[in-house]
Structures are given as C-alpha cells and as structure tokens.
Amino acid sequence: MINAYADNRKIIHLLRADLLRNYLLIHNVDCSVPRGIKLWIGIASPRFIPVLLCRIAYSLHSNKLDPLAKIIALLNFFVFGIEISVRCPIGPGLFLPHTQGTVIGALRIGSNATIFQGVTLGASNLDFEYTEKTRPQLGDNVMIGAGAKVLGGLTLGDNVRVGANSVVLNDIPSGCLAVGAPARIVHS
C-alpha cells in the first residue's frame, strides 16, 4: 500500500530545503522560509520550478506512477531544457543556477548539490538498465561546474568540486577539486 501522507511530507521537506537554499544562494541571506511576495517569486523562479518538477516526477515514480512521472520529466525537458531521470534520488538543497542542456542520470545525488548548465551526470555507455556499475553517485555538498561531464559508475565524495568543462571518469575523494579532461585532482 502506498503511504501518500508520508510521501507528501517528504516532498514538502525536500522542497522547503530546496527553496531555502535557492533563496540563500541567490540573495546571500540566511533566513527562515521567505514569506509573502518573496515566497511566490522564489517558487516562480526558473531556478526552482525545474527542481519542483523533478521532485514531483521522482515522487510519482516512487509511487509506481511511471507514466505520469515521465510526463512531468518531459515537461521539465521541453520547458527548461533539463533532463532529469525519474529514478534518481536527490537529497535536499538542490540548486540549479541554469538548466539548459543539463542531463542528470546519476544513481543518486546527496544533499546541497549545485549543478550548473550543460552538465552531464550519466552512464559512459548505453545503459537502459540504470545500474550502479554505470551511473555516478554524488556525495553531499558537491558542486559541478558548467559543461562538466561525470560519466560511469564512479563516486564523488562529499564536498567535491568539479571544474567547468571537466570530464570525470574516476572516483574523486571527499574534499577535492577536480579539473581538466580527463579530470585530475588539483586540490584536496
């Protein structure tokens, strides 16, 4: 039996965290939930609506409503130019400063991820099974720079930063900065 109440509470918790982080990063103001017009401006932001749609699609997929989940994911793709797998669990605090050309097909993404435009997180070869061996996993507080590609069954630890246009093909330990094509660690 589907526990819709628990699922609704979880999605509200995630969306609240996403909205607060969005507000913090855009306005550089740490606050509680924005209220009034600031709340509606935050919700209507092209940085937040794709996150909202991604959360709805994942929730529908989790509740075995895949056709509806895929419709929501397609809406995200057509309107915002971002392709996010309905299978990818993403922790709270997701921030997408720009979305065009971004593909998120990771196995999982931790909390407080920042993913810039043109990023690809996915398999290094055709993978319709969506397996752990071919999909990247991202830890908490990961930042992926514009145009970066993170490909294959690798792991990015917590607090990893990937430079713009880098191509990551191997694991990156926690606390490191990786740049280049192929990416190499330049700071830990």
Side-chain angles (χ1 to χ4, degrees), residues 107-171:
L107 190 63
R108 75 163 206 82
I109 298 173
S111 62
N112 296 323
T114 301
I115 302 170
F116 285 85
Q117 73 276 7
V119 167
T120 299
L121 306 173
S124 57
N125 54 26
L126 286 179
D127 172 27
F128 297 108
E129 299 293 318
Y130 210 86
T131 64
E132 186 173 338
K133 294 177 185 176
T134 61
R135 301 287 173 158
Q137 298 184 61
L138 282 63
D140 296 336
N141 305 307
V142 171
M143 190 280 301
I144 310 293
K149 310 304 178 216
V150 180
L151 305 173
L154 56 91
T155 300
L156 300 185
D158 296 340
N159 304 304
V160 165
R161 293 176 297 148
V162 175
N165 295 314
S166 296
V167 179
V168 180
L169 302 172
N170 296 304
D171 292 350

XYZ file of all heavy atoms in Angstrom, residues 107-171:
471
model
N 23.034 7.799 -10.306
C 22.399 6.788 -9.473
C 21.775 7.434 -8.250
O 20.662 7.105 -7.852
C 23.413 5.722 -9.057
C 22.837 4.492 -8.396
C 21.927 3.735 -9.351
C 23.949 3.584 -7.900
N 22.495 8.382 -7.643
C 21.962 9.166 -6.531
C 22.808 10.422 -6.362
O 23.980 10.451 -6.726
C 21.896 8.371 -5.238
C 23.197 8.154 -4.546
C 23.031 7.729 -3.073
N 24.205 8.111 -2.314
C 24.452 9.307 -1.813
N 23.604 10.276 -1.967
N 25.555 9.561 -1.144
N 22.178 11.451 -5.778
C 22.850 12.719 -5.516
C 22.550 13.096 -4.070
O 21.391 13.068 -3.643
C 22.356 13.822 -6.478
C 22.691 13.445 -7.926
C 22.953 15.174 -6.119
C 22.111 14.371 -8.966
N 23.574 13.460 -3.319
C 23.411 13.823 -1.909
C 22.783 15.196 -1.728
O 22.286 15.815 -2.665
N 22.845 15.692 -0.509
C 22.226 16.975 -0.183
C 23.110 18.151 -0.617
O 24.314 18.016 -0.775
C 21.940 17.051 1.318
O 23.133 16.972 2.052
N 22.461 19.284 -0.819
C 23.115 20.559 -1.155
C 23.998 20.491 -2.399
O 25.090 21.058 -2.430
C 23.910 21.091 0.036
C 23.014 21.428 1.205
O 21.913 21.920 1.017
N 23.467 21.127 2.400
N 23.511 19.831 -3.423
C 24.231 19.771 -4.701
C 23.966 21.046 -5.493
O 22.844 21.558 -5.515
C 23.798 18.562 -5.501
N 25.002 21.549 -6.150
C 24.867 22.663 -7.082
C 25.343 22.169 -8.432
O 26.488 21.737 -8.574
C 25.719 23.870 -6.635
O 25.305 24.274 -5.331
C 25.569 25.028 -7.608
N 24.444 22.213 -9.413
C 24.744 21.685 -10.740
C 24.481 22.788 -11.758
O 23.346 23.227 -11.932
C 23.886 20.437 -11.037
C 24.156 19.369 -9.967
C 24.159 19.915 -12.437
C 23.202 18.196 -10.002
N 25.545 23.234 -12.425
C 25.441 24.318 -13.392
C 24.964 23.798 -14.751
O 24.801 22.597 -14.955
C 26.787 25.040 -13.519
C 27.080 25.923 -12.341
C 27.669 25.409 -11.200
C 26.744 27.264 -12.378
C 27.938 26.226 -10.114
C 27.007 28.088 -11.296
C 27.596 27.565 -10.156
N 24.803 24.724 -15.703
C 24.258 24.389 -17.023
C 25.222 23.531 -17.837
O 26.420 23.587 -17.655
C 23.884 25.655 -17.806
C 25.046 26.450 -18.334
C 25.641 27.403 -17.319
O 25.292 27.412 -16.148
N 26.578 28.208 -17.779
N 24.641 22.732 -18.711
C 25.434 21.933 -19.629
C 26.126 20.739 -19.002
O 26.956 20.102 -19.641
N 25.794 20.403 -17.787
C 26.408 19.267 -17.088
C 25.753 17.979 -17.532
O 24.547 17.923 -17.780
C 26.269 19.440 -15.555
C 26.596 18.168 -14.806
C 27.149 20.579 -15.079
N 26.552 16.916 -17.635
C 26.022 15.577 -17.855
C 26.505 14.687 -16.723
O 27.698 14.572 -16.476
C 26.502 14.989 -19.197
O 26.027 15.823 -20.255
C 25.977 13.577 -19.394
N 25.553 14.076 -16.023
C 25.836 13.072 -14.999
C 25.175 11.799 -15.497
O 23.954 11.697 -15.483
C 25.227 13.464 -13.648
C 25.580 14.829 -13.078
C 24.759 15.111 -11.830
C 27.057 14.893 -12.757
N 25.962 10.837 -15.961
C 25.330 9.663 -16.521
C 26.266 8.537 -16.848
O 27.432 8.518 -16.449
N 25.738 7.613 -17.605
C 26.478 6.410 -17.993
C 27.545 6.761 -19.027
O 27.403 7.707 -19.798
C 25.522 5.368 -18.560
N 28.611 5.976 -19.024
C 29.677 6.185 -20.012
C 29.403 5.408 -21.290
O 30.129 5.548 -22.263
C 31.028 5.782 -19.421
O 30.990 4.440 -18.994
N 28.379 4.587 -21.275
C 27.937 3.862 -22.468
C 26.430 3.654 -22.365
O 25.821 4.042 -21.378
C 28.684 2.518 -22.618
C 28.582 1.671 -21.363
O 27.643 1.795 -20.597
N 29.558 0.830 -21.141
N 25.828 3.060 -23.370
C 24.381 2.845 -23.323
C 24.020 1.994 -22.114
O 24.588 0.927 -21.893
C 23.904 2.149 -24.595
C 23.860 3.017 -25.840
C 23.396 2.190 -27.034
C 22.962 4.215 -25.659
N 23.081 2.499 -21.311
C 22.667 1.787 -20.112
C 21.178 2.009 -19.897
O 20.775 2.999 -19.300
C 23.454 2.279 -18.895
C 22.927 1.693 -17.589
O 22.359 0.595 -17.622
O 23.083 2.351 -16.550
N 20.386 1.090 -20.384
C 18.948 1.196 -20.205
C 18.487 0.499 -18.931
O 17.350 0.620 -18.530
C 18.215 0.637 -21.425
C 18.523 1.422 -22.667
C 19.327 0.891 -23.665
C 18.051 2.705 -22.834
C 19.634 1.617 -24.803
C 18.351 3.449 -23.966
C 19.144 2.894 -24.955
N 19.402 -0.219 -18.286
C 19.099 -0.918 -17.036
C 19.216 0.011 -15.828
O 18.673 -0.260 -14.786
C 20.052 -2.099 -16.844
C 19.971 -3.139 -17.936
C 18.643 -3.858 -17.945
O 18.149 -4.199 -16.860
O 18.094 -4.058 -19.047
N 19.982 1.087 -15.972
C 20.190 2.054 -14.892
C 20.854 1.368 -13.699
O 20.327 1.306 -12.601
C 18.847 2.664 -14.474
C 18.979 4.075 -13.947
C 18.982 5.143 -14.812
C 19.097 4.318 -12.597
C 19.100 6.438 -14.342
C 19.220 5.608 -12.116
C 19.212 6.663 -12.994
O 19.336 7.932 -12.528
N 22.055 0.845 -13.934
C 22.738 0.052 -12.917
C 23.819 0.848 -12.189
O 24.339 1.843 -12.695
C 23.399 -1.195 -13.545
O 24.410 -0.752 -14.459
C 22.393 -2.058 -14.267
N 24.174 0.375 -11.008
C 25.197 1.005 -10.182
C 26.558 0.995 -10.862
O 27.371 1.893 -10.672
C 25.279 0.269 -8.847
C 26.204 0.903 -7.858
C 26.141 0.260 -6.494
O 25.125 -0.390 -6.163
O 27.123 0.408 -5.754
N 26.806 -0.006 -11.687
C 28.099 -0.126 -12.361
C 28.329 0.956 -13.410
O 29.453 1.203 -13.807
C 28.206 -1.489 -13.036
C 28.234 -2.644 -12.083
C 28.265 -3.947 -12.848
C 28.176 -5.119 -11.901
N 28.105 -6.389 -12.603
N 27.254 1.581 -13.876
C 27.407 2.531 -14.979
C 26.982 3.962 -14.644
O 27.115 4.844 -15.488
C 26.584 2.071 -16.200
O 25.211 2.010 -15.826
C 27.054 0.712 -16.686
N 26.454 4.203 -13.452
C 25.934 5.530 -13.093
C 26.718 6.145 -11.941
O 27.035 5.478 -10.967
C 24.464 5.426 -12.669
C 23.543 4.856 -13.721
C 23.311 5.828 -14.831
N 22.555 5.220 -15.910
C 21.867 5.905 -16.775
N 21.845 7.218 -16.713
N 21.210 5.300 -17.731
N 27.039 7.441 -12.015
C 27.781 8.087 -10.932
C 26.918 8.304 -9.682
O 25.701 8.429 -9.770
C 28.196 9.434 -11.537
C 27.227 9.687 -12.626
C 26.779 8.349 -13.133
N 27.598 8.343 -8.545
C 26.966 8.663 -7.272
C 27.675 9.889 -6.710
O 28.904 9.928 -6.679
C 27.090 7.506 -6.293
C 26.392 6.247 -6.781
C 26.449 5.161 -5.742
O 25.944 5.318 -4.646
N 27.089 4.046 -6.094
N 26.912 10.876 -6.265
C 27.468 12.117 -5.747
C 27.173 12.232 -4.262
O 26.042 11.983 -3.838
C 26.874 13.329 -6.470
C 27.407 13.658 -7.858
C 27.131 12.560 -8.857
C 26.828 14.961 -8.345
N 28.187 12.629 -3.495
C 28.024 12.846 -2.062
C 27.325 14.164 -1.774
O 26.751 14.804 -2.658
N 27.422 14.612 -0.536
C 26.816 15.868 -0.100
C 27.714 17.051 -0.452
O 28.929 16.924 -0.516
C 26.598 15.841 1.410
C 25.607 14.770 1.844
O 24.760 14.358 1.028
O 25.674 14.356 3.021
N 27.085 18.207 -0.658
C 27.785 19.478 -0.899
C 28.709 19.422 -2.114
O 29.809 19.974 -2.093
C 28.578 19.898 0.345
C 27.698 19.980 1.570
O 26.675 20.644 1.544
N 28.071 19.271 2.613
N 28.245 18.788 -3.166
C 29.023 18.672 -4.397
C 28.633 19.811 -5.337
O 27.460 20.153 -5.467
C 28.786 17.302 -5.065
C 29.402 17.238 -6.442
C 29.334 16.193 -4.190
N 29.628 20.411 -5.990
C 29.403 21.457 -6.975
C 29.997 20.987 -8.300
O 31.167 20.645 -8.372
C 30.072 22.762 -6.539
C 29.688 23.987 -7.386
S 30.523 24.190 -8.966
C 32.213 24.268 -8.519
N 29.160 20.967 -9.348
C 29.592 20.554 -10.679
C 29.542 21.780 -11.586
O 28.477 22.351 -11.815
C 28.678 19.442 -11.255
C 28.474 18.300 -10.259
C 29.227 18.943 -12.582
C 29.703 17.498 -9.959
N 30.703 22.184 -12.098
C 30.819 23.380 -12.926
C 30.189 23.229 -14.299
O 29.966 22.119 -14.789
N 29.926 24.350 -14.940
C 29.266 24.392 -16.245
C 29.997 23.527 -17.269
O 31.212 23.571 -17.384
C 29.196 25.827 -16.740
N 29.218 22.738 -17.987
C 29.755 21.927 -19.074
C 30.493 20.671 -18.649
O 30.973 19.927 -19.502
N 30.607 20.407 -17.363
C 31.339 19.222 -16.893
C 30.573 17.941 -17.219
O 29.350 17.934 -17.308
C 31.583 19.311 -15.392
N 31.324 16.876 -17.405
C 30.760 15.548 -17.667
C 31.284 14.609 -16.590
O 32.487 14.498 -16.381
C 31.173 15.019 -19.044
C 30.967 15.982 -20.204
C 29.544 16.462 -20.321
C 29.396 17.452 -21.464
N 28.452 18.505 -21.199
N 30.373 13.934 -15.907
C 30.717 12.948 -14.885
C 30.096 11.642 -15.364
O 28.878 11.481 -15.348
C 30.182 13.354 -13.494
C 30.545 12.319 -12.449
C 30.709 14.732 -13.103
N 30.957 10.724 -15.834
C 30.469 9.562 -16.573
C 30.927 8.247 -15.964
O 32.098 8.087 -15.624
C 30.950 9.632 -18.023
C 30.593 10.916 -18.786
C 31.273 10.934 -20.131
C 29.097 11.045 -18.931
N 29.995 7.308 -15.871
C 30.328 5.956 -15.445
C 29.990 5.694 -13.990
O 29.494 6.550 -13.268
N 30.282 4.479 -13.555
C 29.973 4.029 -12.208
C 30.999 4.483 -11.199
O 31.693 3.667 -10.594
N 31.126 5.757 -11.019
C 32.125 6.316 -10.115
C 31.442 7.029 -8.957
O 30.229 7.205 -8.950
C 33.055 7.274 -10.870
C 32.378 8.426 -11.624
C 32.247 9.649 -10.756
C 33.169 8.742 -12.867
N 32.245 7.430 -7.984
C 31.727 8.118 -6.808
C 32.466 9.433 -6.612
O 33.696 9.473 -6.659
C 31.907 7.249 -5.543
O 31.196 6.021 -5.728
C 31.373 7.946 -4.313
N 31.705 10.497 -6.407
C 32.264 11.775 -5.998
C 31.948 11.898 -4.509
O 30.785 11.857 -4.114
C 31.626 12.943 -6.753
C 31.752 12.962 -8.274
C 31.175 14.246 -8.838
C 33.184 12.785 -8.721
N 32.971 12.035 -3.683
C 32.778 12.129 -2.243
C 32.109 13.437 -1.845
O 31.757 14.276 -2.676
N 31.961 13.633 -0.545
C 31.379 14.862 -0.014
C 32.312 16.044 -0.275
O 33.532 15.898 -0.301
C 31.159 14.730 1.493
C 30.143 13.661 1.853
O 29.327 13.279 0.982
O 30.148 13.209 3.014
N 31.712 17.203 -0.476
C 32.454 18.467 -0.651
C 33.409 18.451 -1.838
O 34.444 19.110 -1.815
C 33.214 18.823 0.633
C 32.293 18.909 1.827
O 31.331 19.653 1.809
N 32.560 18.105 2.839
N 33.051 17.728 -2.881
C 33.851 17.701 -4.111
C 33.405 18.837 -5.012
O 32.218 19.142 -5.116
C 33.707 16.340 -4.830
C 34.223 16.403 -6.258
C 34.418 15.253 -4.058
N 34.373 19.452 -5.679
C 34.092 20.462 -6.696
C 34.695 19.978 -8.009
O 35.842 19.524 -8.037
C 34.684 21.810 -6.312
C 34.002 22.416 -5.088
C 34.647 23.701 -4.633
N 36.021 23.413 -4.219
C 37.031 24.265 -4.342
N 36.847 25.465 -4.849
N 38.237 23.938 -3.948
N 33.906 20.083 -9.067
C 34.369 19.698 -10.395
C 34.369 20.965 -11.242
O 33.351 21.652 -11.355
C 33.448 18.620 -11.020
C 33.869 18.321 -12.449
C 33.452 17.356 -10.169
N 35.518 21.288 -11.824
C 35.669 22.498 -12.616
C 34.872 22.469 -13.912
O 34.515 21.404 -14.426
N 34.616 23.640 -14.446
C 33.879 23.783 -15.696
C 34.568 23.001 -16.818
O 35.790 22.975 -16.915
C 33.767 25.253 -16.074
N 33.762 22.349 -17.626
C 34.197 21.588 -18.799
C 35.134 20.421 -18.485
O 35.809 19.920 -19.378
C 34.824 22.518 -19.844
C 33.800 23.469 -20.394
O 32.694 23.078 -20.734
N 34.148 24.742 -20.454
N 35.179 20.000 -17.248
C 35.992 18.833 -16.879
C 35.268 17.558 -17.277
O 34.047 17.534 -17.409
C 36.242 18.820 -15.368
O 37.008 19.940 -14.995
N 36.034 16.501 -17.472
C 35.467 15.191 -17.778
C 35.958 14.226 -16.701
O 37.131 13.864 -16.678
C 35.894 14.700 -19.187
C 35.311 13.323 -19.454
C 35.447 15.695 -20.249
N 35.051 13.838 -15.817
C 35.398 12.970 -14.697
C 35.074 11.528 -15.082
O 33.929 11.198 -15.398
C 34.644 13.372 -13.418
C 35.016 12.449 -12.259
C 34.916 14.819 -13.067
N 36.110 10.667 -15.034
C 35.955 9.260 -15.391
C 36.369 8.323 -14.261
O 36.282 7.108 -14.398
C 36.782 8.942 -16.646
C 36.430 9.778 -17.882
C 37.435 9.523 -18.996
C 35.013 9.474 -18.346
N 36.851 8.906 -13.142
C 37.296 8.109 -11.991
C 36.754 8.713 -10.703
O 36.393 9.898 -10.670
C 38.828 8.070 -11.924
C 39.424 7.374 -13.126
O 39.097 6.233 -13.423
N 40.295 8.082 -13.840
N 36.760 7.918 -9.634
C 36.319 8.397 -8.324
C 37.115 9.628 -7.915
O 38.305 9.744 -8.209
C 36.535 7.329 -7.251
C 35.628 6.112 -7.427
O 34.697 6.161 -8.251
O 35.855 5.119 -6.711
